[in-house]
Structures are given as C-alpha cells and as structure tokens.
C-alpha cells in the first residue's frame, strides 16, 4: 500500500500542478513517468558496470551483470545511496527536458493541439522503449541495479518507506508552491488567459515552466517505481495505468486541491487492493473477465464524478492574498 500510494501520489500531484492549477490538458503524463524509468534503465547500471570493470553488453548480458552489481551494492550502503541520489537528480533533469520539448511546439497554438501533442509523445516514448533495445531492453525489459540490496530481507519495507517519504516531501513542496503567489498566478492563467495576459503575465513562459516542474516530479515517480520494482519493462507503461488513472484520482479527490488529491489516491488504491484480494470470489458473478473489473470501475466512477460532483470530494479552496489583520498592520507600518 505504501509503495503504490507513494508512486501514484507523486504522479497525481504533478498532474494536479499542471492540469488542476494551470489548466494544461496533460493527457501524456505517462511521458514524464517513463522518462524517469528510462533513466534508471540506462544510467546507473552502466555506470557501475564501468566502475567494476565488467565486460560485455549491458542489455545482452543484463542478468549476469546485474547479479554482480547487486552483490557489490549489498555490501556498500554509501555507494548505493550515492547512486540512488545521482540517478534521481539525472531523472529530474531529463524530466524537465522532456517537459520542455513536449510542450514548446504546441503551447502557443492552443489547449487542443497541446493535449494531442502530449498524448502522442507519451505513446511515442513507450514505442521507442519497446523497439529500441539499447535503451531499456526492448519489449523484454531490463533489470535495474538494486540500490536497496543492502537492506537484505527488509528490502521491500525500506524501499516502500523511502518511496512514501518522497511522496510526503513532494506533497509539502507542491502545497507550499500552490499556496504562494505563484499558485494564484497559475489559477489566473487557467481561468482566463486573456485577462492574465492583460496583467502582464507571460502565458507561454508560465505554462512551459509549470510543465517542466511537473514533468520533473513525474520523472521522480518513474525512477522510484523502477528502483522499487527492480526492472523497467516498456510495455508496462500504458496510458491507462499512468495517465488515465492519475486523472481519475485527481477528479475524484478534487482538482486544484492537494489534500483532495491525497484522498483520491488513497480511495483508488484501496479499491484496487480490494479487487485484487477478492477477484477469485467475484469472478463467478461477473459476465466478463475479472481482470477488466478495475478499469471498468474507474471509468464508471469518472463518469459519475463528472455528472454529479465535478468539483470532487474536496472542492478547490480559494487562497487569500493577505488577511485583514495583516493589511492593517502593514498600513500602520
């Protein structure tokens, strides 16, 4: 639960920043997610293979090389932590680059073309990963160095706690960001671009910077998920899992409300766990394969939310610039 909540919380918070607050129709959230995963697939393993002097092709000889790399990491916690931090930093940089490249061509044209651009590039990145084996092992996938190998039998517990700690830190960062004057500026761009531009706000610059920040955060989610699972398989990064579900979580919890996003993520993850736990019992009563139950329930839930409670479980709250008491103190000063 911790690991799943952590990944989806980071990803949905990043979506809430660009779509909820700034109004960018980001239907390609999987793009930044898979970018972070590709950094884990490509960067740390080759670095360690070079340091350890391992010969061979990292993709072809992946199993034997990862075995030796993980044995080394299991005995050196400092190298593991340093490699983990370095990979996260590279993922942030690559995520920002991907966010800029995917947004810049269409940001001036309008929301429709930008939405299509992001959707197409998200699918394109997955196709590249499937067909270009040197990047992430092609359709078979590739194993990643286990930077938590030093934890031994508690490996998954430690990884889950680290992942969840990242999600909590990112929640406070985005919450602070959106409750600052920047958050009010993003809402102004979302609500009325012409009015915002008349006040001197550079719409293109604001959207580009917002996408770069949100893409960097989503790339962190991708890198953390790849480290946690220990492998990167391009076919697993689908639009349904990493774009549609975060949108559903955001809509359920409340767009432009970070606390609402937390509630939406916990609700959906809990629902998923219930389905997984009782799918055997539910199977005989369903007219279709139980594997489709999760996506069908998500789709029905999104339709019901949009029809009967489009503001979500916790509606967006307006942030005040300054309270009356602070204004009076400033006037006296």
């Amino acid at each position: 639960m911790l690991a799943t909540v952590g990944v989806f919380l980071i990803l949905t918070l990043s979506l809430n920043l660009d779509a909820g607050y700034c109004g960018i129709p980001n239907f390609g959230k999987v793009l930044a997610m898979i970018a972070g995963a590709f950094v884990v697939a490509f960067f740390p393993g080759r670095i360690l293979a070079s340091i350890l002097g391992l010969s061979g092709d990292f993709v072809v000889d992946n199993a034997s090389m990862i075995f030796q790399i993980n044995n080394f990491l299991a005995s050196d916690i400092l190298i593991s932590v340093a490699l983990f931090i370095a990979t996260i930093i590279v993922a942030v940089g690559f995520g920002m680059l991907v966010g800029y490249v995917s947004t810049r061509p269409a940001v001036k044209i309008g929301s429709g073309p930008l939405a299509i651009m992001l959707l197409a590039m998200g699918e394109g990145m997955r196709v590249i990963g499937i067909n270009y084996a040197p990047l992430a092992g092609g359709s078979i996938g590739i194993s990643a160095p286990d930077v938590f190998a030093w934890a031994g039998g508690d490996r998954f517990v430690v990884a889950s706690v680290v992942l969840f700690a990242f999600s909590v830190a990112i929640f406070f960062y985005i919450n602070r960001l959106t409750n600052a004057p920047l958050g009010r500026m993003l809402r102004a761009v979302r609500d009325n671009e012409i009015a915002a531009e008349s006040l001197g706000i550079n719409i293109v610059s604001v959207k580009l910077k917002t996408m770069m920040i949100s893409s960097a955060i989503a790339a962190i989610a991708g890198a953390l998920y790849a480290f946690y699972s220990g492998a990167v398989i391009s076919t697993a990064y689908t639009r349904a899992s990493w774009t549609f579900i975060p949108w559903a979580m955001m809509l359920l919890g409340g767009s432009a409300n970070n606390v609402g996003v937390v509630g939406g993520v916990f609700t959906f993850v809990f629902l998923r766990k219930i389905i997984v736990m009782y799918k055997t019992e539910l199977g005989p009563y369903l007219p279709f394969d139980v594997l489709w139950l999760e996506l069908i329930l998500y789709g029905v839930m999104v339709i019901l939310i949009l029809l009967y409670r489009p503001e979500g479980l916790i509606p967006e709250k307006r942030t005040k610039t300054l309270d009356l008491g602070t204004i009076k103190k400033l006037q006296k000063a």
Side-chain angles (χ1 to χ4, degrees):
M1 283 286 288
L2 275 182
T4 307
V5 166
V7 171
F8 278 108
L9 185 55
I10 296 172
L11 194 62
T12 310
L13 284 170
S14 73
L15 176 65
N16 194 38
L17 179 62
D18 55 45
Y21 282 96
C22 196
I24 299 171
N26 191 351
F27 297 130
K29 181 53 67 176
V30 67
L31 172 63
M33 175 80 178
I34 199 171
F38 282 168
V39 169
V40 174
F42 187 84
F43 173 70
R46 287 173 169 85
I47 292 295
L48 277 178
S50 177
I51 292 174
L52 297 176
L54 302 179
S55 59
D57 184 273
F58 185 73
V59 174
V60 176
D61 306 314
N62 182 248
S64 61
M65 295 178 77
I66 287 295
F67 177 77
Q68 297 176 68
I69 288 171
N70 288 345
N71 285 337
F72 171 74
L73 292 175
S75 62
D76 198 323
I77 184 172
L78 293 179
I79 294 294
S80 298
V81 173
L83 184 68
F84 174 73
I85 294 173
T87 306
I88 295 296
I89 292 173
V90 174
V92 167
F94 188 51
M96 293 181 73
L97 177 63
V98 166
Y100 179 86
V101 171
S102 61
T103 308
R104 188 68 181 85
V107 69
K108 290 183 179 181
I109 305 174
S111 296
L114 180 57
I116 297 300
M117 170 70 78
L118 294 170
L119 178 66
M121 291 197 69
E123 185 64 15
M125 181 70 86
R126 187 174 74 93
V127 171
I128 290 172
I130 293 172
N131 292 281
Y132 184 62
L135 181 60
S139 58
I140 299 174
I142 194 171
S143 296
D146 188 2
V147 294
F148 302 106
W150 50 269
D154 296 324
R155 186 264 182 202
F156 282 102
V157 176
V158 172
S160 299
V161 171
V162 169
L163 207 158
F164 189 73
F166 263 88
S167 69
V168 172
I170 287 171
F171 168 81
F172 283 110
Y173 168 72
I174 292 183
N175 204 46
R176 181 68 179 271
L177 199 67
T178 52
N179 286 321
L182 174 64
R184 292 190 289 274
M185 182 179 67
L186 294 180
R187 287 189 177 107
V189 172
R190 177 197 67 191
D191 294 338
N192 194 320
E193 291 187 10
I194 296 175
E197 200 165 16
S198 70
L199 296 173
I201 298 175
N202 189 328
I203 305 298
V204 172
S205 177
V206 168
K207 287 187 175 182
L208 274 175
K209 290 176 181 177
T210 302
M211 278 297 296
M212 290 173 69
I213 294 172
S214 69
S215 296
I217 294 170
I220 293 175
L224 290 173
Y225 180 72
F227 273 132
Y228 175 80
S229 58
V232 176
I233 304 174
S234 300
T235 53
Y237 292 88
T238 61
R239 293 191 307 273
S241 297
W242 305 111
T243 296
F244 172 71
I245 291 178
W247 266 96
M249 290 175 171
M250 183 185 72
L251 292 174
L252 174 63
S255 178
N257 190 317
N258 297 313
V259 176
V261 165
V262 175
V265 169
F266 270 95
T267 301
F268 268 90
V269 172
F270 179 74
L271 178 62
R272 167 180 280 188
K273 293 298 179 183
I274 291 294
I275 293 172
V276 171
M277 288 171 61
Y278 295 102
K279 63 182 180 181
T280 304
E281 289 80 0
L282 292 171
Y285 301 99
L286 297 174
F288 50 82
D289 195 315
V290 72
L291 294 174
W292 296 105
L293 177 61
E294 183 181 342
L295 289 178
I296 290 172
L297 286 177
Y298 287 166
V300 171
M301 189 175 293
V302 168
I303 293 171
L304 293 176
I305 293 167
L306 294 176
L307 285 176
Y308 299 107
R309 196 173 176 84
E311 69 275 14
L313 296 176
I314 307 177
E316 175 184 358
K317 293 182 179 180
R318 299 296 179 182
T319 57
K320 298 178 181 179
T321 51
L322 293 173
D323 59 76
L324 186 59
T326 304
I327 292 175
K328 289 180 177 179
K329 289 180 181 178
L330 291 174
Q331 287 175 340
K332 292 178 181 179

